[in-house]
Amino acid sequence: MGASDLDQLDDRALLELERQIARRYMGRLSWFMVVWPVANLVCWLSIWGLVFTDTLPLLYAFPIAVLNCNLFYLPSHDAQHDIYGRPGEPTRWLNQLIGHLSALPIAASYRALRETHLEHHRHANNPDLDPDYPQNSGETAWQALTNIYLSMQPGSPAQRAYLDCLTRLNTDEARRAIRDQISIMLIHYGILFALAMNGYALEGLLLWWLPLKIGVFYNRFYLSWLPHYPHPEQGRYRDTHSFKSWLGSISSLGMTAHVVHHLYPRIPLDKTPQALRDLAPILEKRGVDLG
């Protein structure tokens, strides 16, 4: 439909058309998003064996590990929205498996990620209720990166925001999420300590600790700050936007179409760029910033 055709529709008809387009991309399993976490995890685990057997030099393995750690979060993110399988569906086990397995290498609890991320969707850009809000501050990219670094420090406002979010929810799932996160962090540092004690400190540093920290910078910048800056507004069509990336949607891991994710969170990540192209005329009419 052209712009003139859309002008003939009232809000109810426009919303129904928007939902019809969005439904084309929901309800079907994306095999790309299934292969992604499996292949990424196998690759990351394999380079440990290759390095320990002197088959692959550590300095060659390091950039591969950085790429792996950058790619772990997003499959878990799709699982957080039950995209692989909703409760009661035959693929529910796959949803939970990918959710947990993709979170463990980044030393994160799937439950904690899910509970806090869903609160972000409910209260995006709310300074009191959005757990992502503290790390989304910064007027420039440099300020954003500085804030991301500060958010990684013990006791930072960003870290407290996630704990405060889980504490405020005070549900059985939120309490399990806190216990899970504490356990996972203890195991993570225990493994790094064991590697160091057995003469593999450099391997632990370059295959896990440092790639994980680089991944945090990249993911928080592209997945959190950039899609929400400079839009402090709240509400549907206002709490995020589309933007241009220097390598298109690939370099931003699909976040150029983040506005679609907030509008329709059950669209698989790899389908959001095409969904944005189809929805663009309607979203422009809604006043969405498409970059």
Side-chain angles (χ1 to χ4, degrees):
M1 299 180 70
S4 59
D5 298 315
L6 294 178
D7 288 339
Q8 306 301 315
L9 302 179
D10 59 20
D11 285 345
R12 182 185 295 272
L14 200 62
L15 180 60
E16 180 55 33
L17 178 60
E18 177 188 317
R19 288 173 174 171
Q20 287 178 10
I21 295 172
R23 279 195 289 267
R24 298 175 192 168
Y25 299 96
M26 294 188 287
R28 290 180 295 177
L29 189 64
S30 169
W31 286 106
F32 176 80
M33 293 303 298
V34 173
V35 172
W36 172 343
V38 174
N40 193 47
L41 182 59
V42 169
C43 179
W44 184 65
L45 293 175
S46 296
I47 62 175
W48 286 84
L50 293 173
V51 168
F52 284 161
T53 57
D54 295 323
T55 305
L56 180 67
L58 180 58
L59 290 181
Y60 290 178
F62 170 63
I64 301 174
V66 171
L67 180 63
N68 291 146
C69 286
N70 271 281
L71 295 176
F72 275 125
Y73 174 72
L74 282 170
S76 177
H77 170 262
D78 267 19
Q80 291 163 34
H81 291 284
D82 299 330
I83 289 176
Y84 295 101
R86 306 180 79 173
E89 293 182 347
T91 55
R92 181 61 177 174
W93 68 271
L94 180 63
N95 188 87
Q96 301 305 90
L97 180 66
I98 290 177
H100 286 285
L101 286 183
S102 295
L104 288 175
I106 55 175
S109 156
Y110 168 61
R111 286 192 178 95
L113 291 176
R114 185 177 190 276
E115 293 299 299
T116 55
H117 183 66
L118 293 181
E119 280 296 286
H120 161 68
H121 273 263
R122 295 183 188 107
H123 308 289
N125 298 337
N126 184 317
D128 299 317
L129 298 176
D130 181 359
D132 286 355
Y133 191 87
Q135 71 182 29
N136 285 345
S137 59
E139 296 301 314
T140 65
W142 179 250
Q143 288 178 1
L145 291 172
T146 301
N147 287 333
I148 292 170
Y149 167 76
L150 294 174
S151 75
M152 296 161 65
Q153 307 311 306
S156 68
Q159 289 192 359
R160 289 199 302 271
Y162 291 110
L163 179 58
D164 289 346
C165 175
L166 293 171
T167 303
R168 183 179 67 249
L169 290 173
N170 196 32
T171 61
D172 289 341
E173 191 72 1
R175 287 188 287 271
R176 280 194 293 267
I178 295 173
R179 292 194 295 269
D180 284 358
Q181 188 59 57
I182 293 172
S183 300
I184 290 169
M185 289 303 299
L186 289 174
I187 293 171
H188 170 62
Y189 286 118
I191 292 173
L192 291 176
F193 179 77
L195 287 169
M197 288 294 293
N198 287 278
Y200 296 105
L202 200 55
E203 286 79 2
L205 173 69
L206 296 182
L207 295 182
W208 201 358
W209 189 87
L210 187 54
L212 178 55
K213 299 306 179 184
I214 295 172
V216 169
F217 272 98
Y218 192 88
N219 278 268
R220 289 186 179 177
F221 182 81
Y222 265 110
L223 277 62
S224 190
W225 180 76
L226 199 52
H228 292 279
Y229 177 81
H231 291 265
E233 298 178 74
Q234 299 176 43
R236 188 176 177 85
Y237 308 110
R238 292 290 181 271
D239 55 18
T240 186
H241 65 115
S242 175
F243 61 91
K244 299 295 190 295
S245 179
W246 65 286
L247 279 181
S249 61
I250 294 177
S251 70
S252 70
L253 299 179
M255 291 303 108
T256 52
H258 194 67
V259 62
V260 171
H261 172 65
H262 266 255
L263 291 171
Y264 297 98
R266 294 203 66 249
I267 295 179
L269 172 66
D270 62 316
K271 306 299 183 186
T272 54
Q274 181 58 52
L276 177 61
R277 287 190 284 271
D278 290 348
L279 288 166
I282 297 175
L283 299 184
E284 286 180 338
K285 187 171 176 58
R286 295 287 196 187
V288 174
D289 179 3
L290 298 182

